[in-house]
Amino acid sequence: MSLLETRSLSIGYSQKSAPPKVLQKDVSLSINPGEIISLMGQNGVGKTTFVKTISGLIPKLGGEVYYQNDQLEHLSANDLARRLSIVLTEKPYSHNISVLELIAIGRHPYSNWMGVLRAQDKEAIDWAINETHINYLADKKLYELSDGQLQKVMIARALAQETDLIILDEPAAHLDLYNKIEVMTLLRNIAQKGKGILISTHDMQISTQLSDKLWLFNFNEPVQQGAPEDLILDGTLEKTLYLQDYGYDMIHGSIHIGMPENGTSVALEGPEDVLFWTTQALRRNGIKISQSAHTTISCSQREWIVRSSESSQHYTSIGELLTYFR
């Protein structure tokens, strides 16, 4: 049984004295237990509107949303909170509460009207803290946390809510590389325990490596879905995100932002990791890589040998190599 299913869903927003603005229509998608799905598309295409629509935060324009075969409209706010937890980009209103107090809010669907925590509530909170490895933060105030720490706390609150589906809007935004990797590894571990994860993101590298499926939103186009690798190989991802105009390398998942070629071309040989970074540096400086070039650069970990018919030069860093070509 799907955790979430949309059937011919239309999303958008109302306009004064004008028909509603439709951002996406006929959206039929589903997410199952254990899946991580990344929702991708350009700014303004309706990703956040979709997340808020399926979460019941804004009304749909048409179609249906189901949670385990129950229509969204038939679920009370408390019933929905037991099936879906959501982590948005907005930060908590109050930064003067503690980490423990914020995570305890996740137990609201299960506590009584006074918010008294029972033994099972405390067990769920402790479990969420242990899963996210933030025991050392439990007594800190929110204003004392870094962005990466706060993001993990927000995920812990979602875990404490004990829902089968967690939706996150840009979970890695504003995070440094270390915290980004840690958060994404955490989400993968959560999914492996049987929960469904839906991530709205712009991060190509994370979405293609982490996700089981991509949902691709485009302007005036049907929604595309599939395994990241399939959507890369058939050109759908490149077309949807308009990557073909920006030198995006669909094989290595990187962008080639280089200078116009200056007429110099070289052939390269050496270990793969050194070749990759040497190629990037040379292209950035307008040098063309061509295996038929008359000048060859032999690369190793700490040596770059430039050979041509006239001479042979040795360099111990890419910086020195670039100085030679300049």
Side-chain angles (χ1 to χ4, degrees), residues 17 36 134 138 160 166 169 194-195 225 246 260:
S17 304
I36 294 184
I134 56 170
I166 301 175
D169 191 11
K195 293 185 181 292
Q225 62 174 315
Y246 297 98

Side-chain angles (χ1 to χ4, degrees), residues 200-217:
S200 175
T201 181
H202 288 98
D203 196 311
M204 277 281 298
Q205 188 174 33
I206 284 176
S207 60
T208 53
Q209 293 187 36
L210 182 75
S211 308
D212 300 300
K213 290 181 184 176
L214 301 182
W215 292 350
L216 302 180
F217 281 11

Side-chain angles (χ1 to χ4, degrees), residues 167-187:
I167 298 178
L168 305 101
D169 191 11
E170 293 291 352
H174 313 302
L175 300 185
D176 60 38
L177 181 59
Y178 174 83
N179 278 294
K180 182 184 293 188
I181 294 171
E182 192 169 27
V183 165
M184 292 305 160
T185 301
L186 171 61
L187 293 177

Side-chain angles (χ1 to χ4, degrees), residues 107 110-112 116-126 160 162:
R107 297 304 299 168
Y110 308 94
S111 59
N112 58 32
V116 176
L117 297 177
R118 301 161 297 172
Q120 56 263 49
D121 297 318
K122 295 177 181 178
E123 289 175 3
I125 292 169
D126 289 341
E162 288 191 305

Side-chain angles (χ1 to χ4, degrees), residues 9 21 48 91 99 101 105 125 143 171 237 248 257 270 287:
L9 179 68
K21 174 65 175 178
T48 299
K91 293 184 178 180
V99 166
E101 289 169 330
I105 293 174
I125 292 169
Y143 65 78
L237 184 61
Y248 194 86
I257 303 176
I287 299 169

Side-chain angles (χ1 to χ4, degrees), residues 79-139:
D79 289 336
L80 182 60
R82 290 175 180 235
R83 303 192 188 199
L84 165 72
S85 51
I86 183 167
V87 179
L88 297 175
T89 53
E90 292 90 349
K91 293 184 178 180
Y93 290 114
S94 175
H95 277 65
N96 203 38
I97 63 174
S98 71
V99 166
L100 193 58
E101 289 169 330
L102 178 63
I103 296 173
I105 293 174
R107 297 304 299 168
H108 177 71
Y110 308 94
S111 59
N112 58 32
W113 65 273
M114 295 181 64
V116 176
L117 297 177
R118 301 161 297 172
Q120 56 263 49
D121 297 318
K122 295 177 181 178
E123 289 175 3
I125 292 169
D126 289 341
W127 171 77
I129 289 174
N130 288 329
E131 283 292 301
T132 50
H133 308 294
I134 56 170
N135 309 66
Y136 67 103
L137 298 175
D139 296 323

Side-chain angles (χ1 to χ4, degrees), residues 257-270:
I257 303 176
M259 298 290 289
E261 292 180 359
N262 59 20
T264 302
S265 61
V266 298
L268 292 178
E269 58 186 24

